[in-house]
Amino acid sequence: MQEKLFSYIDPSPVQSGAGSLKNRSIAIQPNMSVRGWPCQAGSLALENYVALEDATAIECLRAAGAILTGSTHMAELGFGLD
């Protein structure tokens, strides 16, 4: 099941904050940059791209205590096309 849902699974997810999302596992779409994770957005053109820094939304999730478990599969660039 996980290999069908996730395109990347963080081998060692870390909880970083003590906010309202403490102990909540969050899966991210691969069009959002998470430092060190693949960020291909479902596109072959971005197949080997690895994010260099966290997106602002990711920083907010981490600050709120979310545990980022991995990124999900998505249609190319989120257009819903296969």
Side-chain angles (χ1 to χ4, degrees):
M1 166 92 176
Q2 283 191 342
E3 58 273 352
K4 291 182 180 182
L5 176 65
F6 288 95
S7 62
Y8 173 77
I9 298 174
D10 189 354
S12 55
V14 177
Q15 179 182 329
S16 53
S20 59
L21 295 176
K22 183 177 180 178
N23 297 324
R24 301 285 184 194
S25 293
I26 305 286
I28 304 299
Q29 283 194 316
N31 61 346
M32 296 185 68
S33 294
V34 179
R35 185 179 352 105
W37 288 17
C39 186
Q40 78 278 6
S43 173
L44 291 176
L46 298 172
E47 186 174 19
N48 295 315
Y49 178 71
V50 175
L52 302 175
E53 61 185 352
D54 287 341
T56 301
I58 299 301
E59 290 175 353
C60 292
L61 286 169
R62 289 186 194 272
I67 301 168
L68 304 179
T69 56
S71 58
T72 61
H73 284 289
M74 68 179 290
E76 186 167 5
L77 304 175
F79 292 130
L81 307 172
D82 287 328

